[in-house]
């Protein structure tokens, strides 16, 4: 009996090691998919270049012709990489919001951040009002960022109050979505034809305004936030066992929730202000990661980032491939292609978590 | 030796006072201590106070251990996380300890706690797929994997079948004996208390009515006072104390 149970115990440790190895392999696979998708993304566009030329421009820029160098390095590369940083940021933000709010539908979007950003952008486009007059050139993204940050600080402020539960935070977020959408509709109602179409285009979400600067800013924010989450990996995983249980394991739940909300605000507000509404990533990315890797944050955290980045990058490829010669707004593709794919995924691989 | 003493513990939710002046002599480690009382008497609240999850008056005094050596198992065992049983126990071990890597000895301690509570065969199962009793056993394992010196368990046997109740209480007794830990268990089954626990604390409407050796605390008079049940304490043919229920002391009306 004892010998048998001892054997089965080391058996368990062994299969846990196997599970760990498999999860690392899944992460590697996601990374490989991402790299592949970025490569395809860079080689696709309205102008058709043969693949060898694209590769030569990428690896030996000095030997390529000028026009192609500009297209590849100054237009396609920033777009392709912005898809990666934005996808990773929004997915990570969604993942941690779902974790601390114990709700699978929580994301920067369900909590009103993108609605706020859209409203901020519309203020710039319709009324021509810069919330920070110093930077007129960047009026649209800065207004969007300011409103998104204001919305998340409101939620953040509320959650520091005593006795505020997770449900209250979610309800407030939903109230914010409706309020900002109504305010946006009001602005649109009074907008000129030209401003209206600008607002509509912005809210569709698009990577076409990508620059190296935006790639750098989003990458830096990601590089600051991800390690801060990684340091809290066990605590964040513990929170998923329930607040009481996490507290019983020594997790300062309330403080962790505040820190996370703050980081998430930063992580989501900047990308949203650059690319507009790309709603779905904050929900799909984390769910894919959860299905593939479970919720141990040592794997879930990088997994959510990689899957979000890979999905948005693949969507960027699709947005160019569907109508040859045209780049469809990526926000539309995420919803059109993402939703059925997502539905199929959760129906076929339905776990009982949540 | 590890001991725990409650010194005039009080607790309230809003304006409602739930616990008042709850004091005990030093509770000794190495044995099981039962916390008994009717529904809503304040057992879970007392645990939350001792575990530091709730503020209030009074003090909890520990000797031979610090607050970091305390682990608390909540009454509610619902767990929806997408984790396997094995992962959840690793989590309980590593949270607080830190570090992403697992040593062979850490894996060994996970294995041994799974063995001890008879759930080694569940290691690879997902938490949301467990039965109620399985979840409770996993919850116990999560609580003890760090080998805490002060343990509070809120109804650890409430979802277990007859055999598993016996098995788990025996495992908890041997854990206490082996580690010298102070272990307080909120229990509703007084026969379990008499069989497994050395000492008992009786709580009624937020006040401690009695504490001391279990058989001295659980008198027919006290049981009638707390639960309104007529009972006798007798010995079974093998000498084991047991409570025989004769019926309600006063027929319950409304
Ligand atoms: N979060 C809370 N807010 C307000 N009142 C509460 C809260 N939790 C418990 N109470 C009240 O405190 C009293 C004691 O509850 P507690 O959970 O401590 O009882 P208990 O002895 O553990 O009962 P049970 O045997 O049913 O688990 C009850 O009247 C309950 O309604
Ligand atoms: Mg209780």
């Amino acid at each position: 009996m004892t010998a048998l149970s001892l054997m089965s115990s080391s058996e368990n440790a062994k299969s846990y090691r196997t599970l760990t190895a498999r999860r690392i392999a899944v992460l590697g696979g996601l990374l490989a998919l991402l790299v592949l998708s970025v490569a395809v993304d860079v080689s696709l566009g309205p102008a058709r270049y043969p693949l060898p030329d694209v590769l030569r421009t990428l690896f030996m820029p000095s030997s390529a012709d000028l026009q192609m160098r500009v297209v590849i390095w100054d237009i396609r590369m920033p777009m392709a990489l912005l898809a990666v940083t934005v996808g990773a940021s929004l997915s990570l933000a969604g993942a941690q919001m779902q974790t601390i709010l114990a709700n699978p539908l929580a994301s920067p979007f369900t909590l009103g951040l993108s609605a706020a950003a859209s409203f901020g952008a519309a203020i710039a486009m319709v009324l021509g009002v810069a919330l920070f007059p110093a930077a007129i050139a960047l009026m649209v993204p800065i207004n969007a960022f300011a409103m998104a940050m204001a919305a998340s600080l409101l939620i953040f402020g509320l959650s520091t109050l005593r006795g505020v539960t997770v449900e209250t935070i979610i309800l407030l977020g939903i109230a914010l979505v409706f309020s900002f959408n109504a305010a946006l509709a009001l602005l649109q109602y009074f907008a000129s034809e030209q401003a209206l179409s600008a607002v509509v285009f912005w809210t569709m979400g698009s990577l076409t305004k990508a620059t190296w600067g935006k790639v750098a800013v989003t990458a830096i924010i990601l590089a600051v936030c991800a390690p801060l989450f990684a340091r809290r990996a066990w605590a964040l995983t513990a929170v998923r066992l329930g607040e009481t249980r996490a507290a019983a394991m020594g997790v300062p739940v309330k403080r962790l929730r505040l820190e996370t909300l703050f980081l998430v605000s930063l992580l989501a507000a900047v990308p949203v202000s650059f690319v507009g509404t790309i709603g779905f990533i904050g929900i799909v990315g984390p769910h894919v990661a959860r299905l593939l890797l479970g919720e141990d944050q040592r794997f879930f955290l990088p997994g959510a980032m990689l899957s979000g980045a890979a999905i948005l990058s693949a969507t960027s490829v699709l947005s160019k491939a569907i109508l040859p010669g045209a780049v469809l707004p990526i926000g539309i593709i995420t919803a059109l292609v993402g939703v059925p794919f997502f539905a199929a995924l959760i129906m076929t691989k339905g776990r009982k978590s949540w | 030796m590890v001991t725990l003493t409650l010194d005039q513990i009080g607790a309230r939710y809003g304006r409602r006072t739930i616990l008042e002046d709850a004091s005990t002599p030093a509770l000794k480690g190495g044995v099981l201590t039962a916390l008994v009382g009717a529904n809503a008497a304040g057992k879970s609240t007392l645990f939350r106070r001792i575990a530091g999850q709730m503020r209030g008056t009074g003090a909890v005094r520990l000797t031979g251990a610090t607050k970091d050596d305390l682990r608390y198992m909540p009454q509610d065992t619902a767990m929806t996380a997408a984790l396997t049983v094995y992962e959840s126990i690793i989590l309980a071990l590593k949270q607080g300890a830190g570090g992403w890597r697992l040593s062979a000895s850490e894996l060994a301690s996970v294995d041994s706690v799974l063995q001890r509570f008879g759930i080694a065969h569940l290691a690879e199962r997902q938490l949301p797929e467990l039965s109620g009793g399985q979840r409770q056993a996993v919850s116990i394992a999560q609580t003890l994997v760090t080998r805490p010196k002060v343990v509070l368990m809120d109804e650890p046997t409430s979802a277990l079948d007859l055999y598993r109740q016996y098995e788990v209480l025996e495992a908890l007794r041997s854990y206490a004996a082996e580690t010298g830990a102070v272990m307080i268990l909120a229990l509703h089954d007084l026969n379990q208390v008499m069989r497994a626990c050395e000492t008992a604390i009786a709580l009624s409407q937020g006040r401690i009515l009695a504490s001391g050796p279990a058989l001295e605390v659980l008198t027919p008079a006290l049981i009638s006072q707390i639960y309104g049940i007529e009972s006798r304490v007798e010995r079974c043919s093998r000498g084991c104390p047991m409570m025989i229920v004769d019926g309600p002391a006063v027929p319950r009306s409304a």
Side-chain angles (χ1 to χ4, degrees):
Chain A
M1 171 72 198
T2 324
L4 192 79
S5 46
L6 277 181
M7 220 168 74
S8 94
S9 83
S10 59
E11 208 69 14
N12 277 334
K14 216 186 290 164
S15 44
Y16 178 72
R17 293 242 184 248
T18 316
L19 183 73
T20 306
R22 201 164 65 219
R23 295 206 157 146
I24 293 171
V26 169
L27 286 176
L30 281 174
L31 183 64
L33 276 179
L34 175 61
V35 171
L36 184 72
S37 172
V38 170
V40 176
D41 200 5
V42 172
S43 66
L44 275 183
R48 306 245 144 188
Y49 299 125
L51 194 59
D53 292 1
V54 174
L55 289 178
R56 182 148 34 80
T57 318
L58 276 180
F59 293 107
M60 292 176 291
S62 48
S63 72
D65 78 77
L66 183 66
Q67 189 224 350
M68 200 166 157
R69 213 158 70 201
V70 169
V71 168
I72 299 284
W73 279 97
D74 293 344
I75 299 174
R76 291 192 189 174
M77 277 296 269
M79 259 180 83
L81 293 180
L82 194 63
V84 172
T85 55
V86 167
S89 302
L90 292 182
S91 182
L92 179 57
Q96 303 307 22
M97 244 173 198
Q98 289 162 19
T99 302
I100 55 158
L101 297 180
N103 189 314
L105 297 177
S107 82
F109 303 87
T110 37
L111 289 193
L113 257 72
S114 72
S118 301
F119 177 65
I123 291 179
M125 291 182 279
V126 175
L127 304 177
V129 173
L131 295 177
F132 292 91
I136 290 289
L138 290 173
M139 186 162 75
V140 173
I142 287 184
N143 274 14
F145 175 73
M147 287 313 281
M149 222 42 210
S152 39
L153 288 181
L154 187 67
I155 293 183
F156 178 76
L158 177 99
S159 40
T160 59
L161 299 180
R162 276 188 62 211
V164 169
T165 62
V166 163
E167 287 78 13
T168 326
I169 299 177
I170 292 175
L171 284 176
L172 181 83
I174 291 172
L176 282 184
V177 172
F178 282 102
S179 316
F180 280 116
N181 281 344
L184 178 65
L186 194 68
L187 273 184
Q188 288 177 328
Y189 184 75
F190 290 112
S192 70
E193 200 106 314
Q194 196 193 356
L196 184 63
S197 65
V199 171
V200 169
F201 185 76
W202 196 90
T203 53
M204 282 173 188
S206 162
L207 293 169
T208 48
K209 295 225 166 58
T211 62
W212 281 107
K214 290 177 182 175
V215 172
V217 171
T218 47
I220 288 169
I221 291 175
L222 201 55
V224 170
C225 294
L228 289 175
F229 282 129
R231 268 180 45 193
R232 294 161 174 74
W234 293 113
L236 285 163
T237 312
V239 164
R240 284 292 292 117
L241 293 180
E243 212 170 302
T244 322
R245 192 168 298 271
M249 288 178 182
V251 178
V253 178
K254 192 125 194 175
R255 200 180 76 207
L256 182 71
R257 184 178 299 143
L258 286 181
E259 288 167 350
T260 305
L261 267 182
F262 182 76
L263 290 177
V264 163
S265 306
L266 205 62
L267 209 46
V270 173
V272 166
S273 64
F274 286 161
V275 302
T277 309
I278 303 184
F280 218 47
I281 297 295
I283 291 180
V284 187
H287 274 263
V288 170
R290 192 174 289 124
L291 285 173
L292 292 175
L293 297 157
E295 286 186 287
D296 181 335
Q297 290 260 348
R298 290 176 302 159
F299 307 107
F300 180 54
L301 187 148
M305 284 170 45
L306 284 173
S307 60
I311 291 168
L312 196 59
S313 176
T315 314
S316 169
V317 169
L318 273 182
S319 74
K320 295 176 185 173
I322 288 180
L323 273 186
V327 182
L328 297 176
I330 195 164
I332 297 179
I333 309 295
T334 358
L336 274 186
V337 183
V339 174
F341 166 74
F342 183 55
L345 191 73
I346 51 178
M347 299 302 276
T348 52
K349 236 196 150 187
R351 285 256 179 82
K352 286 191 202 95
S353 46
W354 298 104
Chain B
M1 173 152 90
V2 187
T3 69
L4 181 149
T5 314
L6 300 184
D7 188 1
Q8 295 189 301
I9 297 288
R12 45 177 55 219
Y13 292 109
R15 253 186 251 118
R16 270 184 66 205
T17 301
I18 305 297
L19 291 175
E20 232 182 328
D21 233 1
S23 301
T24 61
L27 302 168
K28 285 202 236 3
V31 294
L32 302 187
T33 298
L35 176 62
V36 300
N39 289 139
K43 301 180 295 297
S44 300
T45 306
L46 181 59
F47 278 164
R48 282 195 281 270
R49 275 289 284 117
I50 300 175
Q53 292 198 359
M54 206 180 146
R55 260 169 250 204
T57 52
V60 179
R61 301 189 202 293
L62 293 173
T63 63
T66 68
K67 262 224 65 196
D68 293 337
D69 300 319
L70 183 150
R71 282 289 178 278
Y72 158 49
M73 173 184 148
Q75 183 170 0
D76 176 21
T77 58
M79 290 182 270
T80 56
L83 294 173
T84 65
V85 168
Y86 206 88
E87 285 180 301
S88 81
I89 291 170
I90 284 176
L91 165 65
L93 182 67
K94 295 295 278 184
Q95 153 56 29
W100 281 25
R101 291 194 149 273
L102 292 160
S103 66
S105 73
E106 283 171 326
L107 288 180
S109 60
V110 173
D111 281 333
S112 94
V113 80
L114 286 174
Q115 288 298 324
R116 179 167 230 154
F117 293 98
I119 47 175
H121 62 292
L122 298 178
E124 290 174 56
R125 296 277 294 277
Q126 292 283 324
L127 289 182
E129 292 169 2
L130 299 178
S131 78
Q134 291 175 331
R135 237 171 19 230
Q136 197 155 42
V138 169
S139 186
I140 294 171
Q142 288 171 355
T143 310
L144 295 184
V145 67
T146 55
R147 297 184 77 74
K149 288 205 196 118
V150 181
V151 182
L152 312 172
M153 295 189 151
D154 205 342
E155 303 191 20
T157 58
S158 61
L160 302 179
D161 69 43
L162 198 53
Y163 181 80
R164 308 272 300 140
Q165 290 173 20
Y166 175 82
E167 187 184 50
V168 162
L169 283 172
E170 276 312 306
L172 292 177
R173 271 166 67 96
S174 76
Y175 175 88
E178 180 185 311
T179 59
V182 170
M183 300 189 75
I184 310 180
L185 277 50
L187 294 170
H188 280 305
D189 185 334
L190 301 185
N191 278 319
Q192 281 180 9
V193 176
M194 290 184 193
R195 184 185 268 273
C197 302
E198 209 84 0
T199 39
I201 304 168
L203 197 64
S204 175
Q205 298 179 356
R207 293 176 166 276
I208 292 181
L209 295 185
S211 60
L215 288 176
E216 290 172 27
V217 170
L218 297 178
T219 58
L222 181 121
I223 290 167
S224 159
Q225 185 185 350
I226 291 186
Y227 301 102
I229 288 285
E230 284 302 342
S231 65
R232 290 164 281 151
V233 177
E234 297 198 345
R235 298 230 164 224
C236 77
S237 56
R238 295 188 188 175
C240 184
M242 53 189 287
M243 190 189 115
I244 294 172
V245 174
D246 290 322
V250 218
R252 278 204 185 180
S253 47

